[in-house]
Amino acid sequence: MAKLMLHGSEARAALARGVEKLATAVGGTLGPRGLNAIIARPQGTPIVSRDGVSIAEEIELECRFENLGAQIVREVSKQTADVAGDGTTTATVLANALIQQGVAILSQGGAAAADLIEGLDDAEEAMVEALATRARPLAGPHQLRSVATIAGTDKALGDIVAKALEAVGPDGIITLDQGSAVEDVIEVIEGFSFDRGYVSHHMITDVPTMRAVLDDAYILLTDQKILRFEQIQHLVEAIEAKDASLLIIAEEVDPKALIGLLASRSKGRGRFVVVNPPDFGHWRRQMMEDIGVLTGGEVIFGDLGYALERTSLENLGRAECVVVSQFETMILRGRGSPEAVEARRAQIRQQIDLAPQNIERDKLDERMSKMTSGTVRILAGGVTPAERRRRLQLLDDALCSGRAALLDGVVAGGGTTLLELAATIRPKGNGAANEGAAIGVALFRSAMQRPLAQIAENAGRDPEATIAAVAKAPAGVGFDARTGQLADMFEAGVIDPVRVTIASVRNAVSSAKLILGTNTLIVDRGDYVDPTAGPARGGGGELLGRA
């Protein structure tokens, strides 16, 4: 297929036009006074969104050269969302400022591209170090609510996300789904839970709720098939002697063995419930080991030479309570050693750091969450499906920001910290040899003003006057777009996770370097001609009667 090419300043200008179009669509959503973008779909209702990455993913430009620029910066949104979960709009706004001003400098011959990129690298490194130094740990639940509220642009939404994070911590599993009610709904499930229920309804202890509840339960974990009741009879008798209860998590239990368990239960001594193990394959084995660590028990693996006949109560796990329904098992407050549980979590955390972004990472995240204090489910409410989808996106942003704040701390938000720290960044060297790099540092410092300017513009304020006022204000004082006044950002609750801010800066500089360092664009030439375009010609009949 034939190709089209652009070179030099024309190529960079085309990329910059594409970036500008994408940033204009995304930038209007930044800040508490940002507005929505409505995106048409081939079927169904339109998407109403204020999420930067969701808007960017829908943008395809007609000009192929301009579309290249838009797609490069779209990766800024995706990468920022993958690393920090929020800050996608800030990253796009920063990238656009760096690219527009950088392309102008190159077109005027103000600096060589390599020198400009070197200056951006130096400035980025200094900014990341300064942000890490400036970060503060969260001072309490009120700051967590502030972070979630800022990211979700809604106080009620921020309260729900903060409540969920307080219940399970930053490593806990929190699922988001569309609900059916007008209001948001939060469901907290404590302990280690998995999607397996009792194998027989005769094991139910609470008939009205159709659940089996075992208090102070022993837990037998095995990958072996229990084919005969005699394999576990000694355990059953020991449980009956203690008038305790037993949860059996086993691959398969023969009906005759089940009959033996149910017959023992009918005597009124002890309670017994059988469930199948969670997950499949090697994930099942690891989940079983997790449960063993959490409950202080051993997993009776057949390939390691363990035999059920030689198992004693000392080999079993313990939990304060086990609740089993038809489709789910919850193990509450396991009796495992805190040191062993923390060591297991550290092991899983190390595996997460090395795992790729695929189903393996998802499974490891799930295991990590189950080793914490529980699970939370949030159902996004709204009057219409479109409103619920939009609220679901805001909940996701708020949740990611809250987690990042708990892990790495926060800085003053609203673009204030970027503006303050940018003023302290200086070129590394002096002289004509470093003049281009110094221009790159100046470009970086100028671009760091753009998020604050965009927030002020979206709030109906003069961007230049707002920047000047914040620059003259004491450290930590910035523009609160909700009130339209200058305020101490921490006291006003306008704070951002430092992880989000760092990810925004890094990804914005990365995309800017790609575009500023470009000399040639190559795209496919479109050969397709639509035969239905233009007026109908009648298949040649219009030629009849002509001389």
Side-chain angles (χ1 to χ4, degrees), residues 137 139 197 219 291 315 332 373 440 450 460:
I219 301 174
I291 297 174
N315 302 122
L332 308 179
S373 56
R450 187 56 202 166

Side-chain angles (χ1 to χ4, degrees), residues 219-226 231-232 234-235 246-252 277 284-285 287-293 295-317:
I219 301 174
L220 171 62
L221 297 156
T222 181
D223 66 343
Q224 301 181 46
K225 297 179 180 180
I226 303 176
Q231 291 176 278
I232 57 172
H234 64 293
L235 292 176
L246 175 65
L247 172 69
I248 299 176
I249 303 178
E251 184 83 23
E252 181 182 333
R284 169 171 288 183
R285 188 183 183 96
M287 282 277 222
M288 294 273 278
E289 291 175 345
D290 291 343
I291 297 174
V293 171
T295 60
E298 299 178 25
V299 186
I300 312 303
F301 288 125
D303 58 357
L304 297 181
Y306 295 150
L308 289 170
E309 291 82 357
R310 297 194 300 270
T311 303
S312 65
L313 293 185
E314 287 70 26
N315 302 122
L316 306 187

Side-chain angles (χ1 to χ4, degrees), residues 146-177:
S146 296
V147 169
T149 299
I150 292 295
T153 68
D154 183 273
K155 186 178 183 303
L157 185 149
D159 289 341
I160 287 177
V161 169
K163 182 179 178 181
L165 287 169
E166 289 168 3
V168 300
D171 294 326
I173 185 166
I174 301 175
T175 59
L176 304 175
D177 292 302

